[in-house]
Amino acid sequence: MFPRPIQEASASRQLLYKIGLPISLVIWLLPMIAIIATAGRSLSDINYGNYWGIPSEWAFVDNFSAVFNSSPILWYLVNSVIITVPAIIGTLFLSTLAGAGLALYKFKGHFVIFAIFIAGNFVPYQILMIPVRHLTVNLGIYDTYWAVILFQMAFQTGFCTFFMRNFIAELPFELVESARSEGVSEWKILIHIIVPLVRPALAALAVLEFTFVWNDFFWPLILIQSDEIRPITLGLTTLKGQYISSFNLLAAGSLIAALPPVMMFFAMQRHFIAGLTLGASKG
Amino acid sequence: MKQLKRLLLATALTAIATTGFARDLVINANTSDPAQKLAMENLINDFEAAYPDVDVKFNLYDHEAFKVAMRNFLTSDAPDLITWNAGNRMKVFVDLGLFEDVSDVWESENLYEKMPAVVGASSVDGKQYGVPYAYYAWGFYYRKDLFEKAGITQTPTNWEEFKTMGEQLKTAGITPVTIGTKNLWPSAGWFDFLNLRINGVDFHAELMDGQVKYTDDRVKKVFATWAELVEGDFFVKNHPAYSFQEALPFMNQGDAAMYLLAPFIVSMFPEDVRKNVEWFPFPIIDESVGIYEDAPTDSFHIPVNAKNKEDARLFLRFVAQADVQTKTAGTLDMLPPNINATVKDDRFAKGGFAQLSRASGIMQFYDRDTDPALAKVGMQGFQEFMQNPDRIDDILARIEAERERIYGAL
Amino acid sequence: MTDIAFPAARPRNSFFRRNRLVIMPLLFIAPAFGMFSLFVIYPIAQSIALSFIEWQGIGPKKWIGFQNYIMLFNDPVFWKSLVNNIYWLVLFLLAPVIGLFVALYLNQKVFGIRLIKSLFFFPFVVSQVVVGLVFTWFYDPAFGLIATILKPLGLQLPSILASEDWATFGVITAGLWPQTAYCMILYLTGLNSVNPEMVEAARLDGAKGWNLLVKIVLPQLRAATFIAIVVTVIGALRSFDLVAIMTEGGPYNSSNVLAFYMYDNAIFRYRVGYAAAIATILFLIMDIYIVWFLMRLLKNEKGTR
């Protein structure tokens, strides 16, 4: 364990830690608290410049119900799930395979392929807008869930392959060697040895990717037109006006939109730990 | 409940769509301001009530997102109608062959006579490419109570009076003018009006068409006049830090007295401030120059690639009707282009309407009248000038370089 | 990667068996590579081609050779944006450092720690629009939090977002907040796979604190560090959400960055070819960086195995 478990420290340090934790949390989340407070402010307070003072009235209920009534936000949430979940599963599947392919074998062009996966990540993605829209039109998937799902799956695979390849390269290679010498097939090595060992990485990736895909607003904007299939990020932007923005509703809406990724992180933490114990017992 | 209804509706829609009986009318709009949303919702409901066979599918975007998405959907999978702006902004798409000629609607409804004020802005080479549903005037929104506190009893009608009034306000510890230039466009309002009042509409139009150099002496005169206010501390400090909306608290808290803006500002004043807010037009600078105004016009257009142009035209005819325009413009706090419609009974709408009625000519707005790339460089220049008036020669040279790149050397 | 094994112990005669160490990786990589090529690599190539063209995004295209690049090198905004990108790159590297310390701080097993970790992660998932908005209100020279706190003390800060000297740093600070949360989660994963026996052994040898961190723990966090740095670099170079929300590149382009300037040209100035040229330059800068980084990584791996 590093750092040393706090339970082994002196009682006074333990106390300090336990008091310090909530305090540091509050400081860290100060902007977050501001967002929550904004979600409860009336527009009139905001127009008065009362961003930080005590609100003249608490408008939480009004604001949240305005968000729910002014747009079909639950429906947008469903759309976000429909897009995000398959995109992540696909990405993780593709990149685990590719990551293992790049980490466990040496063959001609290995470096080039790896470099291409990484280089592709570095493109300022907005510039892909026109070609990618064109492509989805040609594939007949423009303005469908598939356009966003497939694009995200492909695009995120670059980063995930890079991540998985590095993680797998750090694993003790003797495991693979001994399995090979016993004649275990490469496919089985992947399923039975590699995949269990990369579980913490998969869990972390799932969280990160969930956040990326969930929060992405640009690609749905480019590839989706119909209101019925819009994800929440796109749906929420209509709270931003040409001249007038309902900042309070925007804050309320983004809090709702941010909950699923945080819950995802909360749920996935256990798997980081599970990955650890597995790794320790086998490695 | 609304969510459930929507879910059911969506399923029902797909069912109908596959059987092919519905007359779907797809409208993509950028009307995301609260009042705009309400007006559009009402408009669509009324239209559907009048034509029950037509099913409107409405896709709302925020303003900036709409600009991004627009060129995509216009070329790949066009909706049947979109909201956009008259003037050069429309012309860009007409020139690319993406907007439908709707002169037939203008003829059959005789809109030339019913909407005389917006014919020019809706036309390219004598043909019309859109039907306006609202336009609005610009002017000074000011707080009467603050003016009284500074001992000002009358609103200024000319430049000297305007400056005197500013000095009085400053003496009373009030900043005369609030402005937020983060989004750039509020500064362009100042440029437009100064240029229109000093050099007139013909010169302004030539400048917008790229036919005059920005280093021209007449342009320099505009900035010299503007500098009187900038150097005289008429404007709130640090305005590049504020969006249009974030500069409003100065006025609401009583630190600043007025804002050169358009009617969408009215709903942003809290109740107790709003009752003290009044309106006056931009003062005259040169008596020999006529009165010209900015009157940005919002309109509906049919994309050339639309599928259901028949019903789209039906919608245009509907929108052009006097009673429909009365209602829509009223909700928007704007003005109906149709002369048979009624202007909303409030002091801002009436005042704006009167001002536009006596105008000898109108323009759209800086970033609607000139090339988009030039508009951006120009407005960044205005912002920089308002912070550093001494850099004016550099700034004008930079804007001129961009003008030359786009319109060619003169 | 010198570690590839010799063929399996009991060679069989089938072609597949003999060549499986070449065929299998290709089979593994093919689906990902195919998708990536179709949706990313091919569009990148198309964009690069666009940079030699004058085009509004719709309508006629005109081949103009290197004109866009020549204009770019004479464009002061391009150079200003490039300089700002370098500020972003350098200062953003604080995120992995702070992220590591936050992760170390949180890597304990006390009551409620899972919830606390989740809450520390929050900045990363909340919409950038709102992050930008709140930081703008922090800085607001008249009604902002900083101004409100400093005013009673008789102090005044320069207006950060209205100042051509400070705006970039104001935006970078806002960007560091979510980026640090991101690095923190990478390090939390990394800390989970630190070998406890090695740490204990080092402790028995008398190593502790800083020494233990640098000599024993950090080397084991190499993968996490590597990824944290790479994502931070990507974030720094790509970052435009906050620029768009907090300053729109202003005042008068003083806080512009290449990604935003590219977007601005493509969308709001209707200069798609020019935007493609900016993107190509940005892409090249990133790739030089990443190739250098990659070489180092591979060399390191050779050394350790």
Side-chain angles (χ1 to χ4, degrees), chain B residues 136-152:
Chain B
Y136 50 91
W138 273 61
F140 283 102
Y141 291 78
Y142 71 100
R143 275 185 61 169
K144 213 174 162 187
D145 52 337
L146 296 180
F147 271 38
E148 280 162 7
K149 198 173 132 195
I152 303 162

Side-chain angles (χ1 to χ4, degrees), chain B residues 169-183:
Chain B
L169 284 166
K170 282 193 287 178
T171 313
I174 299 164
T175 310
V177 181
T178 185
I179 186 169
T181 60
K182 182 158 93 182
N183 314 125

Side-chain angles (χ1 to χ4, degrees), chain B residues 63-238:
Chain B
H63 196 69
E64 298 303 306
F66 190 78
K67 285 187 181 168
V68 180
M70 184 166 169
R71 277 173 294 164
N72 288 332
F73 60 61
L74 283 182
T75 46
S76 36
D77 190 3
D80 302 314
L81 275 170
I82 65 164
T83 56
W84 195 234
N85 313 114
N88 188 65
R89 281 207 186 156
M90 175 189 85
K91 187 171 174 291
V92 169
F93 292 96
V94 173
D95 289 345
L96 290 165
L98 290 168
F99 281 1
E100 173 98 347
D101 176 358
V102 293
S103 305
D104 55 316
V105 175
W106 280 71
E107 271 157 34
S108 70
E109 300 295 302
N110 196 17
L111 298 181
Y112 304 108
E113 277 170 30
K114 287 182 189 158
M115 301 187 178
V118 294
V119 180
S122 305
S123 306
V124 177
D125 296 331
K127 288 178 183 159
Q128 288 69 48
Y129 292 89
V131 171
Y133 59 91
Y135 70 134
Y136 50 91
W138 273 61
F140 283 102
Y141 291 78
Y142 71 100
R143 275 185 61 169
K144 213 174 162 187
D145 52 337
L146 296 180
F147 271 38
E148 280 162 7
K149 198 173 132 195
I152 303 162
T153 46
Q154 243 183 337
T155 55
T157 54
N158 65 40
W159 195 241
E160 287 312 312
E161 285 175 26
F162 185 79
K163 284 192 290 184
T164 314
M165 176 206 69
E167 295 305 326
Q168 282 175 281
L169 284 166
K170 282 193 287 178
T171 313
I174 299 164
T175 310
V177 181
T178 185
I179 186 169
T181 60
K182 182 158 93 182
N183 314 125
L184 301 177
W185 57 265
S187 64
W190 279 89
F191 176 79
D192 274 4
F193 274 103
L194 287 166
N195 197 28
L196 286 168
R197 291 287 184 271
I198 293 171
N199 295 314
V201 78
D202 293 336
F203 178 79
H204 188 65
E206 279 173 34
L207 187 68
M208 295 301 99
D209 285 342
Q211 294 160 20
V212 187
K213 284 190 176 184
Y214 270 82
T215 45
D216 190 287
D217 281 342
R218 288 167 288 182
V219 179
K220 284 185 178 158
K221 195 175 167 202
V222 169
F223 284 96
T225 313
W226 198 349
E228 294 169 16
L229 305 190
V230 174
E231 284 161 1
D233 291 326
F234 269 54
F235 298 100
V236 291
K237 285 201 189 73
N238 300 318

Side-chain angles (χ1 to χ4, degrees), chain A residues 243-262:
Chain A
Y243 307 109
I244 297 160
S245 296
S246 314
F247 292 133
N248 47 352
L249 302 189
L250 210 55
S254 359
L255 285 176
I256 298 168
L259 275 180
V262 170

Side-chain angles (χ1 to χ4, degrees), chain A residues 48 69 227 230 240 242 245, chain B residues 6 32-33 59-60 253:
Chain A
Y48 264 123
N69 286 326
D227 197 47
R230 282 183 181 174
K240 241 168 61 198
Q242 176 178 3
S245 296
Chain B
R6 198 176 168 88
S32 58
D33 276 13
N59 303 315
L60 180 66
Q253 291 201 354

Side-chain angles (χ1 to χ4, degrees), chain C residues 167-288:
Chain C
T168 294
F169 303 105
V171 182
I172 294 175
T173 307
L176 276 175
W177 187 54
Q179 189 67 25
T180 302
Y182 186 0
C183 293
M184 174 206 81
I185 175 182
L186 294 174
Y187 277 118
L188 278 177
T189 323
L191 284 172
N192 270 331
S193 39
V194 165
N195 185 335
E197 285 131 50
M198 275 173 78
V199 175
E200 284 317 312
R203 280 209 177 104
L204 289 178
D205 287 346
K208 55 183 172 185
W210 185 253
N211 229 334
L212 185 65
L213 174 67
V214 174
K215 295 228 169 95
I216 307 296
V217 179
L218 269 188
Q220 294 193 60
L221 290 176
R222 204 181 52 206
T225 303
F226 182 58
I227 287 172
I229 289 177
V230 169
V231 295
T232 303
V233 168
I234 296 181
L237 291 177
R238 263 192 201 161
S239 178
F240 88 50
D241 283 347
L242 287 174
V243 174
I245 295 148
M246 294 177 70
T247 65
E248 298 193 5
Y252 33 92
N253 286 315
S254 59
S255 67
N256 220 334
V257 290
L258 289 177
F260 184 71
Y261 192 47
M262 183 270 296
Y263 181 76
D264 190 30
N265 269 292
I267 306 295
F268 301 118
R269 301 181 199 219
Y270 297 67
R271 297 179 70 184
V272 173
Y274 195 61
I278 301 173
T280 306
I281 298 279
L282 184 55
F283 185 51
L284 285 179
I285 298 171
M286 291 182 174
D287 284 341
I288 291 167

